[in-house]
Each structure stands twice: as C-alpha cells, then as structure tokens.
Amino acid sequence: MTKQELALEVIARLKKEYPDTNCTLNYDDAWKLLVSVRLAAQCTDARVNVVVEGLYEKYPTIEALADADVSDIETIVRPCGLGHSKARDISACMKMLRDVYGGRVPDSMEELLKLPGVGRKSANLIMGDVFGKPAIVTDTHCIRLCNRIGLVDNIKEPAKVEKELWKIIPPGEGNDLCHRFVDHGRAVCTARTKPYCERCCLNDICAYCRAL
C-alpha cells in the first residue's frame, strides 16, 4: 500500500468513526478563533474555552481588545500559561487587525502569517475552519498519529509534516482529517498512556500496531 492509498483508507475509516468532527475551541467570529488558538499553546482547549468567556465579557470587540492594556489581558489569560507572551501577541494581533485590515481577518495564508503570534498551525486552522479552504493543521495529535500510522516517517517538525501530508491527502480532506486526528488521539491513540491498539479502527493498517 502506498502512502497515498494509506491516507485515503485512514480518511475513510476515521470519517466513519468520527462523523461529526469539528474544532473544539469555541468561537463565533474569526478573530476570536485567532485569540483562542494563541491561548491554546501548551494549554487544553477546555480551559481556553472557559478563560475566553471572561476576556470577551470585558473586551467584546477587536477594537476593545486592541485598546486594552497588555497587563489587563495578561491578568485574564494567565490561567492558560505563558500569560505575558500570549497577552502581548493578542494585543499586537488585534491592533494589526484594526489598523491594517479594517477589523477583518485576512483569508490568505500569506496575510495571516503576518499577524503577531500566528504561525502555520494557527493560520491553517483559520483557513480551514473559518474560510473553508484547503488546510492541514499539524498539531501534536496530527504529528504523533501520522508517524505512528506511517503516513510520514519519523518526522517531528510541524512544517515538514505538513509538507509531506500535502503530497498524499486530497486538499478538501485535510482540515477535517486533522480534527479527526485530535478526536482519535484523545480517545484511542493517546500520548500519555500506551495507545489502545486493540480497539483502534486502524490497527490492521497502522505501522505502530503491526509492529507490536
């Protein structure tokens, strides 16, 4: 089985296993997803979803958040960890959205990567979830599962994993597949415990399972 054939089979099986996948960060506007994905670095999505409620209650718009003191933002987001750097990036990002983009989140990878605190993972999430464009979000779940399954060969750098996946995954499938990697990585192919290969829907095609 080629890597492309393996990818198509993984996509089909995970679609059946997790038919209703979606982003686990709560948001109702593109700029809020930008904020949440920055806060989610080294923090759980569940905690981020709680913290941003207080943030948006005090600063409900891009303009309000752009005008806020970084120290005030930091006080609210501190439970997510790395409070100072996250608050600084959020403030700078909102200022740029207000001053350069007229309060609009740009819809191209090139423009998104110009925003403070936005890397390829965050930009891909916005491209896929907000704008419905081809995207591959190489978070820790994606990287772990792709290496275990055999879609990539011992590649840990997010940008390199993304580059390899673009070669074998149909453009329209990438975004949802990465969400399903999160679902599967939390439920079965876990990081902090031994993966539950005996109940994995991929165990007969997964390189890790077959090597056991």
Side-chain angles (χ1 to χ4, degrees), residues 49-194:
N49 288 337
V50 171
V51 169
V52 293
E53 289 183 9
L55 184 66
Y56 301 146
E57 183 177 352
K58 188 169 184 179
Y59 305 111
T61 65
I62 290 174
E63 292 75 17
L65 199 49
D67 289 338
D69 289 337
V70 172
S71 60
D72 292 336
I73 299 173
E74 182 179 354
T75 298
I76 297 173
V77 304
R78 188 174 291 123
C80 294
L82 305 174
H84 182 69
S85 62
K86 289 180 179 181
R88 181 192 61 216
D89 286 344
I90 289 169
S91 176
C93 183
M94 294 303 109
K95 283 181 168 64
M96 192 166 180
L97 289 181
R98 179 194 64 191
D99 299 339
V100 178
Y101 294 103
R104 177 188 61 84
V105 174
D107 63 355
S108 74
M109 179 66 71
E110 180 183 9
E111 295 298 316
L112 284 167
L113 291 175
K114 293 178 181 178
L115 298 172
V118 176
R120 289 196 65 85
K121 183 180 79 171
S122 303
N124 270 298
L125 186 63
I126 297 294
M127 291 288 285
D129 272 35
V130 174
F131 298 114
K133 296 186 176 183
I136 292 176
V137 180
T138 49
D139 62 6
T140 57
H141 292 290
C142 176
I143 294 169
R144 182 176 73 257
L145 268 65
C146 285
N147 276 280
R148 284 181 178 171
I149 294 167
L151 294 173
V152 300
D153 299 316
N154 197 31
I155 303 174
K156 302 300 172 63
E157 298 90 340
K160 291 182 180 180
V161 172
E162 180 189 341
K163 182 179 179 180
E164 292 304 306
L165 291 181
W166 279 120
K167 297 176 183 178
I168 59 175
I169 294 174
E173 299 286 357
N175 189 59
D176 282 349
L177 175 61
C178 291
H179 286 323
R180 291 187 172 99
F181 280 151
V182 173
D183 296 333
H184 197 60
R186 288 173 175 168
V188 178
C189 199
T190 53
R192 295 184 180 180
T193 65
K194 186 178 178 181

